[in-house]
Amino acid sequence: MLNTNYNVIGMMSGTSLDGVDLAHIKFSINNGKWSYEIKESETIPYTENWINQLKNGIHLDLDSLKVLDKSYTELIAEITNHFILKNKLQDVDFICSHGHTILHQPQNGITLQIGNLPELAQKTKHKVICDFRVQDVAMGGQGAPLVPIGDQLLFSEYDFCLNLGGFSNISFNRQSKRIAFDISPVNTVLNFYAEKLGRNFDQGGSIAKSGELNKSLYDELNNLPFYSQKFPKSLGIEFVHTTILPIMEKHILSIPDLLHTFTEHIAYQIGTIVKGVKGSMLITGGGAYNTFLIERIKQHCTSIRCDIPDEKTIEFKEALIFGLLGVLRERKEINTLASVTGAKQDHCSGKIFLPN
C-alpha cells in the first residue's frame, strides 16, 4: 500500500545562479488530489568562486567536469546538512535534488546536471532521489521542462503557469494533454548586464525602465529561428552565449537601453503564446519581482489575468516541484510527460541512492 503523506526536502539550482533553493515540504494525496505545504525554506547564495566555476563549467573537459561534479556534490551535501540541522528537521523521508545544469544539448543526446552523485546520500545520511533529466534525453526527449507535471497536479486551477527564472517557460493543457516549453532567456541575460553595472540584478527592473527601446535590436531578437520552432523545445545557457549575447553586443547601446529592449522582447514572446486566449496565469520565479517586466507582460497579455502568489511559492516553486518529482519516483508513478519533452512515452524518471 502506497503512503499518502510525504515529508521531503526539495532542492534546486537554476541557471540564474542565485544559489541553492531548499524547501522542506509536506505532501499529501487524498482521493487522487495532491496538496502541499512549504514549511522551512531558504536560498543559500553561491560564493563568487562558485559562481565563476558554474559559469565556466560549459568550457571544461571531461576530467575537469568530473572533479567539478564531485566538489559540487560535496557542497550541496554540506548545505543540506546545515539546513536539516538549523531547522531541526526530523523523519525526512528523502531528499529530492535537481542538481545544477552544466550542459544541456538534447539535440546531441547530452544533458548534465552536476551534484547528483551517490556521495550525496552518503554525506547527508538520507535517501536521495535525483538526476531527473538524463533518462528523458535517452528516450529522445528534451529532458526539459520537468516542472509541468507539478503544474498539472498542484496548480490545475490556472490556465497557464509561467515561470520567470534564468529562462521563461510556460505550461498549459491543450486537448487533454499538458503542453510546456521554454519561451526565451530572462535572468540569464538581464543579470548579465546588471552585473556590468556592479549589481547582482536589476532591482524591480528600474534600470531597464529608464532605458529606451531599440527597434533594430528588438526586431532582430524576435526574428530568431528558435521562436518559430514548434514545441517541444528547450533552452540552455549555450543559447545565451552563442546566440543572444553576440546579437546584443553588436548593437552599440547603453546598458539601460539593452535591458529595456530585452525586457520588452521577453514580454512580447510571452504574449505571442497566450494571444487571443482568455484566462488566468500564475507567475512565479525571481522575475516575478521585476515590476517593470510584469508591467510589460500585462501589456502584451491583455486578455489574461496575471496572478503572483505568496513569496514562498514565487521563490521555491521549482524546489517544491522537484520534491514532487521525487515523491512520484518513489511511488513509481509517471513524473515526466512525453507531450512536454518529446520523449517516446511518458515515464518515471530519477535515480535513487541509499546511504550505507
Side-chain angles (χ1 to χ4, degrees):
M1 176 125 174
L2 291 172
N3 290 342
T4 56
N5 296 287
Y6 295 88
N7 182 36
V8 307
I9 294 170
M11 217 173 4
M12 171 70 192
S13 172
T15 46
S16 54
L17 295 173
D18 298 337
V20 181
D21 293 339
L22 299 106
H24 171 215
I25 312 143
K26 296 203 169 176
F27 289 104
S28 59
I29 185 167
N30 186 21
N31 292 325
K33 174 72 175 167
W34 284 99
S35 59
Y36 71 90
E37 183 183 3
I38 300 176
K39 307 288 281 184
E40 299 80 10
S41 56
E42 188 174 2
T43 298
I44 308 298
Y46 289 120
T47 63
E48 193 171 336
N49 178 45
W50 267 109
I51 289 173
N52 290 331
Q53 285 193 71
L54 296 174
K55 274 184 180 173
N56 294 327
I58 190 174
H59 306 299
L60 296 178
D61 59 38
L62 189 57
D63 287 341
S64 301
L65 274 175
K66 286 178 180 176
V67 172
L68 181 65
D69 195 358
K70 189 173 188 302
S71 58
Y72 185 75
T73 301
E74 290 169 357
L75 173 72
I76 61 171
E78 185 182 319
I79 286 171
T80 308
N81 285 337
H82 180 72
F83 181 76
I84 291 169
L85 194 64
K86 176 183 173 181
N87 295 296
K88 300 182 174 66
L89 303 188
Q90 295 182 337
D91 303 321
V92 171
D93 294 319
F94 40 85
I95 295 161
C96 313
S97 177
H98 168 265
H100 183 86
T101 300
I102 292 290
L103 300 172
H104 187 66
Q105 301 165 13
Q107 71 279 9
N108 300 321
I110 298 169
T111 188
L112 171 65
Q113 287 69 47
I114 60 172
N116 290 328
L117 297 175
E119 286 90 330
L120 188 57
Q122 310 310 331
K123 291 181 179 297
T124 59
K125 298 181 173 59
H126 282 84
K127 179 193 283 191
V128 169
I129 305 179
C130 63
D131 218 5
F132 297 99
R133 297 190 190 275
V134 173
Q135 179 174 293
D136 190 76
V137 171
M139 294 174 70
Q142 292 279 310
L146 297 182
V147 166
I149 185 74
D151 292 341
Q152 182 171 287
L153 296 177
L154 301 178
F155 301 103
S156 59
E157 68 269 29
Y158 289 96
D159 298 296
F160 300 93
C161 288
L162 174 70
N163 181 65
L164 300 171
F167 298 89
S168 56
N169 47 66
I170 196 164
S171 83
F172 51 92
N173 275 358
R174 179 180 287 176
Q175 296 173 343
S176 302
K177 281 189 174 181
R178 197 75 187 178
I179 303 298
F181 48 91
D182 287 345
I183 302 173
S184 80
V186 180
N187 292 331
T188 43
V189 173
L190 299 181
N191 292 354
F192 175 83
Y193 285 105
E195 284 167 12
K196 286 182 175 290
L197 297 176
R199 307 189 189 189
N200 291 330
F201 57 92
D202 180 10
Q203 181 83 41
S206 60
I207 302 169
K209 190 169 186 175
S210 73
E212 294 184 0
L213 182 77
N214 181 276
K215 190 70 165 56
S216 172
L217 172 58
Y218 183 63
D219 289 344
E220 190 171 352
L221 290 167
N222 287 329
N223 287 325
L224 283 168
F226 177 81
Y227 300 122
S228 58
Q229 286 175 22
K230 289 187 165 62
F231 52 80
K233 56 182 179 175
S234 64
L235 289 167
I237 196 68
E238 296 92 334
F239 180 74
V240 172
H241 288 302
T242 62
T243 304
I244 297 293
L245 294 181
I247 291 172
M248 302 282 280
E249 294 297 299
K250 87 179 179 195
H251 289 260
I252 312 303
L253 300 171
S254 69
I255 288 177
D257 288 357
L258 288 169
L259 286 169
H260 185 104
T261 303
F262 200 79
T263 299
E264 194 70 23
H265 165 67
I266 294 164
Y268 172 79
Q269 289 302 328
I270 291 165
T272 62
I273 308 303
V274 301
K275 193 173 183 179
V277 180
K278 287 188 176 179
S280 58
M281 182 160 67
L282 179 72
I283 303 178
T284 56
Y289 293 119
N290 186 326
T291 48
F292 179 60
L293 174 57
I294 298 301
E295 176 188 309
R296 299 315 304 150
I297 289 171
K298 287 179 178 177
Q299 282 297 311
H300 285 277
C301 305
T302 51
S303 61
I304 298 288
R305 189 189 81 236
C306 296
D307 288 355
I308 296 175
D310 63 279
E311 198 171 288
K312 279 187 177 179
T313 306
I314 290 174
E315 294 181 10
F316 297 98
K317 179 175 173 245
E318 287 190 292
L320 162 73
I321 292 181
F322 278 99
L324 179 64
L325 261 67
V327 168
L328 296 172
R329 173 66 181 89
E330 175 74 3
R331 292 167 63 88
K332 297 184 173 65
E333 295 177 357
I334 287 167
N335 65 2
T336 309
L337 301 172
S339 63
V340 165
T341 69
K344 59 187 178 187
Q345 63 189 55
D346 293 346
H347 56 102
C348 181
S349 183
K351 295 176 183 173
I352 297 178
F353 298 127
L354 301 174
N356 288 335

